[in-house]
Structures are given as C-alpha cells and as structure tokens.
Amino acid sequence: MSFRYNKKPVLENISFSARASTFSAILGRNGSGKTTLLHTLNGINRPYKGEVLINNRSAAAMSQKKIARQVSLVPQEHNEIFPFKVLDVVVMGRAPFLKMTSSPGPEDYRLAMDALKTLKAESMAENNFNAISGGERQIALLAAALVQSSQTMLLDEPTNHLDFNNQYLLLSTIKKLCQAKGLCVIASMHDPNMAMLFADQVIMMEKGNILFQGSACETMTKKNIDRLFQLDSAAIELPDKKRLFLPAHVFE
C-alpha cells in the first residue's frame, strides 16, 4: 500500500498484517510516517496504490462509519473539546453505533463506565475533561476507543502525555486487553524499549518505508536499532530473549 499527499509520496510499498490478540508496534523517528500510516489504516487517508483490508474486506468499499465500528483511533494530540464530563467523552465512542438523530442510552453509558473501570479510571467519570491532566485525557480517550471497537485499536504515541510509572501501567493494561479480549492493537512508538517490552510484532519505519519487520525478539537487535536511529547503541540482555537499548555514549 502507498499513500501520497498532494502528489508527494509519503508511504511507499507498506505491507504487513496484524491479527487478533496481538500488539504491533510501529517504531521510528519523528517524521518517519507513523501517524500517516495509522490514518491510512482507519480510512482517514485513502491509498493511491494498494489497499487496506479489514477482516479481509477492502476499506475502500466501506463507509467511514462502518470502518469506525471495527477500528478505533486514539490520536497523539487532544485539545480541549467541550466542557463535558469524562463519562460523556467516553460515551462519544459509541457514535458509530447510533443513528443520526439518536442519543446515547443507558446501555451506552454502562459500556462507557465499564471501559473506565477496565482502565482503573472510574474515579474520573464525573470530572470535567478540560480540567484533567494530559495523561488523564489520554486514558479517557483510550476508554472511548474501547467502547467504539473491541476488534482493532490504533494508538498514536499512547504514552506521550503520561509520567514514567503510568506509561508502563497503561501499556501493560493494553497488552492484557489484547490477550483477554482478542483485541488487535497497532501503536506508533518512538521508544524502542517500550516496543521491546510490550509488542508481539515490530515494524520499523524510515521516511515512509518499512526497514525491518517481524517478531519483537527477532527485529529488535542492536544492528537494526543502530540503523533505524542512526546511532551506536548498547544492548542489555534480559530474560526471555528480550533486551533494552541505550545510546552507547551513556556508558563512556
């Protein structure tokens, strides 16, 4: 699949698959095309060559509403929207399932509260969305994505607004959701250690192209990390064939 913006190539010859119960990380530096790829996967961008298949059906043959019922997106940036309660923002995730003139009902609110409970964030339900922290907004939008689609979730830099501890808590929760609910997660990331610890599959991107892809243990090597980030890295071996990476100059 390839995508152009105003005739300028942005993505070229992208090919990979992501399945239920798996966490796929799209890893790369800023400007590598990660966000554009996510927007193409959920139909916001339309490929000029190739196609995106959702459950073996071409996204080009589906309306945006039908795509939204199967694929949700949590964006990297989330500006103040309206002075809504967090619970109401989460309920907005049910929009693809409502008729044009319909309002959310008790079942929609129940699903929204269940999503907040899953993320251990039910205490935020009555808070004003615009008054909570950036990290809390990220969790609220993740809950909205959960009530929108239980099939595929796209995350654009999901830990961007979270502190050190909550980054790992959030990704650990997402990984458990993959396994417990059969959720397919595709997340753009720039931190190789997050990808190593939580991803089943890693897709390394540079300038709109895929450099390397495969299982995390196979793909996350010192050679590939050095190539992707243009540096000399040091690999710290962990159990289960996992490893962490730091710039080698840290140890000089």
Side-chain angles (χ1 to χ4, degrees):
M1 179 272 291
S2 299
F3 172 74
R4 289 178 176 176
Y5 183 73
N6 289 337
K7 298 184 178 181
K8 177 183 177 182
V10 180
L11 301 174
E12 288 290 339
N13 300 318
I14 302 296
S15 181
F16 71 93
S17 62
R19 302 186 181 280
S21 303
T22 61
F23 188 127
S24 298
I26 303 171
L27 190 64
R29 293 184 290 175
N30 290 340
S32 61
K34 301 189 300 295
T35 297
T36 301
L37 176 55
L38 292 182
H39 287 177
T40 308
L41 293 179
N42 83 331
I44 294 175
N45 298 329
R46 296 285 179 169
Y48 82 92
K49 185 174 69 174
E51 61 183 347
V52 175
L53 297 177
I54 302 173
N55 292 325
N56 295 318
R57 184 182 178 191
S58 175
M62 302 167 65
S63 68
Q64 195 63 49
K65 189 170 186 176
K66 287 185 177 180
I67 292 174
R69 289 175 178 175
Q70 299 178 65
V71 182
S72 60
L73 171 68
V74 180
Q76 183 177 157
E77 298 298 332
H78 35 72
N79 299 322
E80 295 183 358
I81 45 177
F82 294 102
F84 290 139
K85 294 187 299 185
V86 166
L87 183 60
D88 292 325
V89 171
V90 177
V91 166
M92 290 178 188
R94 297 295 298 163
F97 300 91
L98 301 177
K99 295 180 180 179
M100 186 74 69
T101 58
S102 298
S103 299
E107 179 65 8
D108 299 305
Y109 277 94
R110 185 190 68 77
L111 291 170
M113 183 57 76
D114 285 348
L116 286 171
K117 288 177 180 178
T118 297
L119 298 173
K120 296 180 172 56
E122 62 268 31
S123 62
M124 299 194 317
E126 297 300 314
N127 293 352
N128 185 318
F129 181 82
N130 291 343
I132 59 180
S133 69
E136 289 171 327
R137 290 183 192 178
Q138 190 77 347
I139 291 170
L141 293 177
L142 180 60
L146 278 176
V147 300
Q148 178 183 328
S149 172
S150 59
Q151 295 187 29
T152 301
M153 183 184 297
L154 309 177
L155 308 174
D156 194 1
E157 301 287 357
T159 61
N160 204 31
H161 299 278
L162 300 176
D163 60 33
F164 178 75
N165 184 50
N166 283 321
Q167 289 179 6
Y168 290 91
L169 285 175
L170 180 69
L171 289 179
S172 179
T173 300
I174 292 170
K175 184 63 180 285
K176 290 175 182 176
L177 286 171
C178 284
Q179 298 166 340
K181 295 183 178 294
L183 188 65
C184 172
V185 171
I186 305 173
S188 69
M189 295 180 166
H190 62 266
D191 186 334
N193 295 327
M194 294 286 189
M196 179 80 256
L197 290 173
F198 296 102
D200 302 297
Q201 172 181 224
V202 175
I203 299 146
M204 294 184 173
M205 289 189 64
E206 180 184 69
K207 296 180 180 178
N209 292 272
I210 292 179
L211 285 181
F212 312 105
Q213 64 174 307
S215 71
C217 291
E218 294 171 345
T219 308
M220 301 292 289
T221 65
K222 170 179 162 49
K223 180 180 178 181
N224 289 352
I225 291 294
D226 289 357
R227 171 67 181 83
L228 181 66
F229 292 102
Q230 299 293 298
L231 51 66
D232 180 24
S233 67
I236 303 167
E237 296 296 327
L238 299 174
D240 299 325
K241 298 182 179 181
K242 293 183 181 292
R243 56 193 71 89
L244 297 180
F245 299 91
L246 291 171
H249 66 74
V250 170
F251 299 99
E252 295 175 356

